[in-house]
Amino acid sequence: MFSYLSALAYLVGVVAAAALALLVVFQERLVYVPVLPGLSKSYAITPARLRLAYEDVWLHSADGVRLHAWFIKIFPDCTGPTILFFQENAGNIAHRLECVRIMLQRLHCNVFLLSYRGYGASDGDPSQHGIIMDAQVSALILENTFTSVLDMAGVLLPILKWFIGGGGSKGPKVLNFLVRSPWSTIDIIGQVKQPILFLSGLQDEMVPPSHMQMLYKKAAEKNSRCLFIDFPTGMHMDTWLSGGDRYWRTIQLFLDQYVSQTKDTERRTFERKIS
């Protein structure tokens, strides 16, 4: 009996160690998904398919990685703000063009659609450090964003909440050191001094809406220019669609309030970030 229990314990230990090793080695593939299942890494369409005038733009990040972007204008002499659009995690910028088309029509803005490193036509491999270098902006619009990858580990795989977690975790968090891309937004959101608009879909099936509420609470402690708006039927990927007129009107009012004050003296760039 003792030998059987010892063998079982040994087997469980081996399986757990193997699972942990796989998690460490392949964690970037779990966090970053530049290619959707069944699709290629290349762009399925370009803005021209939707009759959008655009420029192909090539940039070099601070560490020399070549990045690709589309600069899309609703018309050549558009004087509206330029929205720096950072897409959701999965797929590439071509999959967001329908949302961008509606954004142009509703907000009368320009859109600079940047492809993350390792996504679409951009070179390099995605990482937290690299993407932060690629994304230096002056104000924020956050939509359905998680507090941290550490907190999301327990959401996606409940057993991990006892070993990996953010500041609010009750577990020992003994495996946090293994996470190379913690994306701990909750730890830095309080340092942002620029206006922040939080857009939360209450039916989000991937990121618990409570994460957005915690981010807003943390930011609003030191930043009076924070606005939280929720959308009762919004899911993780379709809040911009299910939110209808109210979604676009909210963004328009936010831009009017914080862009019109400075547009004659300062160029404003806004980030729309979806985790």
Side-chain angles (χ1 to χ4, degrees):
M1 182 67 174
F2 180 76
S3 297
Y4 172 78
L5 292 177
S6 297
L8 181 60
Y10 177 79
L11 178 61
V12 171
V14 169
V15 171
L20 180 60
L22 289 173
L23 180 63
V24 172
V25 173
F26 296 107
Q27 62 182 270
E28 274 77 17
R29 296 189 182 183
L30 299 175
V31 176
Y32 308 106
V33 189
V35 181
L36 291 169
L39 300 178
S40 68
K41 185 173 181 286
S42 60
Y43 302 131
I45 62 173
T46 69
R49 175 75 68 86
L50 300 181
R51 298 182 179 180
L52 299 174
Y54 75 102
E55 300 174 28
D56 273 307
V57 179
W58 294 94
L59 307 168
H60 283 87
S61 190
D63 58 350
V65 174
R66 192 176 73 148
L67 305 173
H68 177 252
W70 286 326
F71 186 37
I72 307 173
K73 293 185 177 182
I74 189 169
F75 46 82
D77 57 346
C78 176
T79 58
T82 294
I83 294 179
L84 179 55
F85 187 111
F86 287 104
Q87 62 165 69
E88 299 90 334
N89 176 39
N92 59 52
I93 56 178
H95 301 126
R96 277 75 201 183
L97 285 175
E98 181 59 28
C99 175
V100 169
R101 182 184 68 81
I102 297 176
M103 182 180 294
L104 291 170
Q105 294 174 348
R106 298 298 300 265
L107 303 180
H108 302 288
C109 61
N110 308 312
V111 174
F112 194 85
L113 196 56
L114 180 67
S115 183
Y116 300 133
R117 57 179 60 206
Y119 282 65
S122 291
D123 295 339
D125 298 305
S127 68
Q128 176 174 330
H129 177 72
I131 291 176
I132 287 174
M133 279 196 295
D134 303 339
Q136 299 301 314
V137 294
S138 61
L140 298 175
I141 299 176
L142 298 181
E143 181 173 321
N144 298 333
T145 303
F146 49 69
T147 53
S148 72
V149 165
L150 300 173
D151 290 328
M152 283 299 297
V155 173
L156 300 176
L157 194 59
I159 193 173
L160 289 179
K161 69 181 180 180
W162 299 106
F163 308 102
I164 298 176
S169 174
K170 297 180 180 179
K173 299 178 283 190
V174 294
L175 300 182
N176 279 11
F177 73 97
L178 296 175
V179 180
R180 290 187 289 270
S181 296
W183 284 109
S184 191
T185 308
I186 191 69
D187 290 333
I188 63 173
I189 195 69
Q191 303 171 25
V192 178
K193 298 179 175 61
Q194 291 78 15
I196 311 176
L197 174 61
F198 296 83
L199 302 174
S200 177
L202 298 185
Q203 302 303 316
D204 193 327
E205 75 286 8
M206 295 182 65
V207 178
S210 60
H211 283 221
M212 284 289 285
Q213 295 166 2
M214 286 187 284
L215 289 173
Y216 169 72
K217 181 178 179 181
K218 184 67 176 291
E221 289 176 356
K222 297 182 178 180
N223 188 343
S224 62
R225 295 184 296 173
C226 292
L227 178 64
F228 185 94
I229 303 293
D230 58 34
F231 300 88
T233 61
M235 300 179 70
H236 189 70
M237 300 285 284
D238 77 347
T239 301
W240 64 273
L241 186 61
S242 63
D245 289 342
R246 180 168 172 260
Y247 176 92
W248 297 109
R249 189 166 62 251
T250 296
I251 297 178
Q252 184 65 69
L253 290 173
F254 181 74
L255 296 178
D256 288 345
Q257 181 174 357
Y258 293 110
V259 175
S260 60
Q261 297 174 359
T262 59
K263 69 179 182 179
D264 292 332
T265 58
E266 177 183 24
R267 179 179 177 179
R268 285 275 189 172
T269 304
F270 284 84
E271 171 187 1
R272 179 184 184 272
K273 177 183 177 184
I274 304 176
S275 286

